[in-house]
Amino acid sequence: MRLLLAVTAVLGILFVATTGGLYWYHDQWVTGQANPFVLPRAGHLLLLQGTLAHENNVATWYSAMLMLLVAFTSLLCFGVDQQPGGSRRTRVAGWGWVGLAGMFALLSFDEIGSFHETIGDTAVFAAVGRGSGWTAFLVLLAGVGAAIGCFGVLHLRRHPVALALLVVGTLLFLSNPYQEKLEIDAYRAAADPATWQRPLGLLLLEEGSELLATWCFLCATVVYSAGRPHRGRLDRPEDPAGLAIRLAYSPHGATLGVGLVAAMLALLLTQVAGQQIAPGMGIPKNWFPSAGAFGLFVFSLYQFSRGGRAKAGHAVLAACSLGISVFYGSDLYSAPVLWREGSAAGYALRLLLAGLCGGLALLLWRGQRLTRLQTATLGLGLTGWAAALWFPQEQAALVAFGGAVGLALALVPNSFLPASVPAEMTQQAEPFVQQEAPVRKNPAGASAAAGGI
């Protein structure tokens, strides 16, 4: 967990620095200088991929996936609160984590889709705000912030560090509209608005505070899930930190959950797939294959940390999932060189992807105990990833999202028992017991399976 927080913090600082670097390069060397320093094309493209001020690049992908990661860790906190043996109040209040997860999933979608740029001008907000849609949006934003604050005070008062991080993150998010107002005031006060440039300080303040706010929420969820007393904690030599959490769920329940989420996302995808995108705006449909692949990256990375026969397969799956998430989330897949007729680079990438998916199928099949249906679903998922670029460009993102759904349906329900847990522990009837209670054997016919998180 500490490594996760450190890596995300370093990447955030790197992207803020790259954002400032591109602004400085354009301001100092490209616009009106006597002896301009011209970066090589590769260096300029690298800076463009790293700036948070533009859409459809690696930096924006990172910001969106960091928000999605907060959604995942919020669901982990919900799982911690729902452990048997906890108080009814904790279990009820724990549903607030589900609301927080949904909010950050929507923020992640918005980050890639750029809905926040025009949301106040939509008919819905304009009608609610009686002609001032942005006013209605700000009122809604304040209400969400107040709800998060109330949840934190009521549910996290015994976890002061997590509460403080939650409050700081909320205040940073709520400061964003004020920062926008400062920019608008600066624009209006300019002698010639036509030549006005966004102040570097305000740019870095806005983009940096948004990343910092998301990171504070990530820290809050990690601190809460790792610091809360876990009933049934696996205090074993294989888990010296005592941070493993065992959750009870069934294969059928996991399959149903993945299927429902996939169905809802597919329905949403059909609503945005055919939208006309203005130049410089985000592309909403790119979020779906990117988010699906990122979810698989998190899942496979966790499976890799548990070890077992499928360790090599999950390592390769993690690398492939992360690459595909970046590839679609940053809109790299729409590069003209990949779609130009007879392009050697395009054919090379397609063949490389097909080879990786073929090898990955073999590794996962040999390391997993899959049913025939799961094996078929695994094959269809990897085929979707490999075949996406052979479809027309407009359909590639949809096919790649279908591939991610197939892989999730094949692998997630099949991963219940931690590889580090001895075989005799797999027969426990109650996966959550008081730490001082003896381990009891599972009676015959028990249907619940235990999963480690």
Side-chain angles (χ1 to χ4, degrees):
M1 289 297 189
R2 291 178 181 175
L3 180 61
L4 169 68
L5 298 179
V7 170
T8 52
V10 169
L11 288 175
I13 294 172
L14 175 64
F15 283 122
V16 171
T18 309
T19 301
L22 179 66
Y23 183 97
W24 174 83
Y25 170 68
H26 276 278
D27 184 52
Q28 298 295 323
W29 297 103
V30 176
T31 57
Q33 294 297 315
N35 297 303
F37 169 73
V38 180
L39 278 174
R41 177 175 173 80
H44 190 217
L45 290 176
L46 187 63
L47 279 179
L48 286 174
Q49 287 298 320
T51 176
L52 293 161
H54 292 180
E55 308 292 343
N56 305 317
N57 58 14
V58 175
T60 303
W61 165 85
Y62 170 76
S63 179
M65 293 305 109
L66 186 64
M67 293 174 177
L68 189 61
L69 185 59
V70 175
F72 294 156
T73 54
S74 296
L75 291 178
L76 175 61
C77 292
F78 170 73
V80 170
D81 285 341
Q82 300 308 307
Q83 295 179 87
S87 67
R88 184 168 179 254
R89 178 189 173 281
T90 298
R91 290 197 296 271
V92 172
W95 282 92
W97 294 115
V98 177
L100 194 65
M103 185 193 77
F104 271 95
L106 288 174
L107 286 174
S108 174
F109 181 44
D110 169 73
E111 187 70 7
I112 285 183
S114 299
F115 295 106
H116 60 278
E117 301 288 350
T118 57
I119 192 170
D121 299 324
T122 59
V124 174
F125 279 98
V128 174
R130 297 182 180 179
S132 180
W134 286 105
T135 301
F137 174 68
L138 291 176
V139 171
L140 175 63
L141 193 64
V144 172
I148 295 175
C150 291
F151 167 72
V153 171
L154 293 175
H155 193 56
L156 303 181
R157 62 181 184 273
R158 296 182 180 178
H159 306 270
V161 176
L163 176 59
L165 289 166
L166 193 79
V167 170
V168 171
T170 303
L171 292 177
L172 286 172
F173 271 127
L174 293 178
S175 71
N176 193 263
Y178 179 71
Q179 297 174 41
E180 296 277 0
K181 182 180 182 301
L182 291 178
E183 289 190 14
I184 294 174
D185 292 343
Y187 170 77
R188 291 174 176 173
D192 184 6
T195 61
W196 179 82
Q197 291 187 5
R198 194 177 182 185
L200 178 59
L202 292 180
L203 170 66
L204 296 182
L205 177 64
E206 179 183 346
E207 303 298 344
S209 62
E210 184 177 307
L211 273 184
L212 180 58
T214 307
W215 190 77
C216 284
F217 273 94
L218 179 64
C219 289
T221 53
V222 168
V223 167
Y224 180 83
S225 61
R228 192 179 185 282
H230 302 148
R231 298 185 181 276
R233 175 185 284 178
L234 299 178
D235 294 317
R236 306 185 59 82
E238 296 86 353
D239 181 36
L243 299 181
I245 309 165
R246 304 180 64 216
L247 305 177
Y249 58 99
S250 68
H252 298 297
T255 303
L256 180 62
V258 172
L260 287 176
V261 171
M264 289 188 293
L265 292 180
L267 180 62
L268 182 58
L269 176 56
T270 60
Q271 302 300 311
V272 302
Q275 285 186 353
Q276 296 296 322
I277 307 300
M281 296 296 289
I283 305 174
K285 69 177 182 180
N286 288 351
W287 181 81
F288 295 89
S290 180
F294 186 78
L296 284 169
F297 164 71
V298 174
F299 166 78
S300 54
L301 201 63
Y302 163 68
Q303 292 294 98
F304 171 79
S305 69
R306 291 166 58 190
R309 295 173 56 194
K311 184 175 182 178
H314 284 295
V316 178
L317 178 59
C320 290
S321 299
L322 183 61
I324 287 176
S325 181
V326 175
F327 186 60
Y328 286 96
S330 60
D331 200 39
L332 289 173
Y333 78 98
S334 66
V337 67
L338 299 180
W339 302 97
R340 192 179 300 129
E341 187 175 353
S343 169
Y347 281 118
L349 180 61
R350 288 170 172 83
L351 293 175
L352 174 63
L353 191 57
L356 284 174
C357 288
L360 183 57
L362 181 61
L363 285 172
L364 291 174
W365 178 75
R366 293 181 61 182
Q368 299 271 341
R369 294 179 179 178
L370 302 175
T371 65
R372 291 182 180 179
L373 180 59
Q374 288 173 333
T375 301
T377 308
L378 175 68
L380 287 174
L382 290 171
T383 300
W385 272 3
L389 294 183
W390 296 93
F391 281 75
Q393 181 180 347
E394 296 77 14
Q395 302 174 12
L398 283 70
V399 177
F401 171 67
V405 171
L407 284 167
L409 287 171
L411 298 176
V412 173
N414 196 53
S415 56
F416 291 99
L417 292 170
S420 60
V421 178
E424 61 270 14
M425 291 189 65
T426 67
Q427 301 300 317
Q428 292 181 10
E430 298 180 7
F432 300 96
V433 294
Q434 296 288 347
Q435 293 183 12
E436 66 275 6
V439 174
R440 289 178 285 181
K441 297 295 182 179
N442 186 22
S447 59
I453 292 182

